Amino acid sequence: MKNPNAFIIRLPEKFKSELELGDVNILLVSKFQEFENRHMEAKIVSLPVLHDTGAKVGDTLYFHHHVVLNAHFDIGDDLYLVPFHPMGGRNNLANAFTNEEGIHLLADWVFMEPMESSKKMKSDLIELLPEDAPNDHGRIKYPSEALEEMDIHPGDVVYFSKNSDYEMEVDGEKLWRMMTSDLEYAEIKK
């Protein structure tokens, strides 16, 4: 099975079924913190026919959470379409892929490390954000062509527009995902 403009992934489970609390695993009801417990990574089973992304069948694809919620993307047998457009934009739901060489961002997606002063305080049940620590900046984690064109590199501190910090787990690490259009400015290194 192939699609001209979409990856096809195999995703046997849309939501995480267990929550790890220290040494204990707790079974989750799928509606418990549904937003945070969606799976957003899966193995690639087919590549977009019209676009050379550098990904290969068997690599892991990171994707937007809407993929698991929109019935349009569910094509049966645990297979889902993940739309891709090389120019990016809101219709590009493929964020990045990982292989033995590391994480590779796709189109205009950015993965960013939260800065210590802007980290949310979080337990497994509640999340608190101190008033004096708004989420408005972070540190670029991975390179991409789109960031290179903006002369922004891994390690650079970048400020972003309000509410564009979407948390997701990437390679076992909590990062923020956003688009280059959400970036407002970068701190200039001297």
Side-chain angles (χ1 to χ4, degrees):
M1 182 178 299
K2 294 189 179 281
N3 185 283
N5 295 301
F7 290 91
I8 299 176
I9 57 166
R10 182 166 310 279
L11 187 64
E13 193 178 65
K14 291 199 241 184
F15 300 96
K16 297 172 187 170
S17 59
E18 291 185 348
L19 178 66
E20 197 173 306
L21 293 172
D23 295 338
V24 178
N25 285 349
I26 298 174
L27 293 178
L28 285 175
V29 175
S30 64
K31 292 293 182 186
F32 175 74
Q33 291 183 327
E34 179 181 298
F35 189 76
E36 295 173 7
N37 290 309
R38 298 172 188 156
H39 281 289
M40 292 178 281
E41 65 180 80
K43 292 292 180 195
I44 299 170
V45 297
S46 179
L47 303 167
V49 174
L50 297 179
H51 309 290
D52 181 10
T53 62
K56 294 183 176 35
V57 170
D59 289 348
T60 298
L61 184 71
Y62 292 95
F63 51 87
H64 197 280
H65 60 274
H66 286 165
V67 170
V68 300
L69 296 179
N70 189 329
H72 175 74
F73 300 127
D74 184 345
I75 56 176
D77 297 325
D78 297 332
L79 298 174
Y80 291 80
L81 294 174
V82 181
F84 172 75
H85 193 286
M87 298 302 290
R90 300 280 177 213
N91 293 325
N92 177 29
L93 301 184
N95 305 145
F97 68 92
T98 186
N99 58 23
E100 62 280 347
E101 297 168 10
I103 303 284
H104 306 273
L105 296 171
L106 293 168
D108 57 349
W109 288 105
V110 176
F111 286 160
M112 185 179 306
E113 295 175 287
M115 301 281 293
E116 195 61 38
S117 65
S118 61
K119 269 191 179 172
K120 294 178 181 179
M121 295 183 300
K122 185 175 182 176
S123 77
D124 290 314
L125 299 176
I126 62 172
E127 185 172 294
L128 302 171
L129 181 61
E131 287 183 39
D132 62 338
N135 290 345
D136 65 354
H137 66 289
R139 192 174 308 280
I140 296 295
K141 180 71 176 180
Y142 300 106
S144 74
E145 287 182 29
L147 289 171
E148 286 288 326
E149 289 175 11
M150 299 169 69
D151 198 25
I152 297 175
H153 310 282
D156 289 352
V157 174
V158 178
Y159 289 77
F160 50 84
S161 57
K162 186 177 181 177
N163 298 323
S164 59
D165 56 317
Y166 177 80
E167 187 178 283
M168 66 185 293
E169 190 172 316
V170 177
D171 203 23
E173 184 178 5
K174 297 282 185 183
L175 298 176
W176 288 333
R177 178 206 69 205
M178 61 192 67
M179 300 172 76
T180 56
S181 60
D182 295 318
L183 303 180
E184 293 184 336
Y185 62 95
E187 288 184 359
I188 298 171
K189 293 181 181 177
K190 294 184 180 187

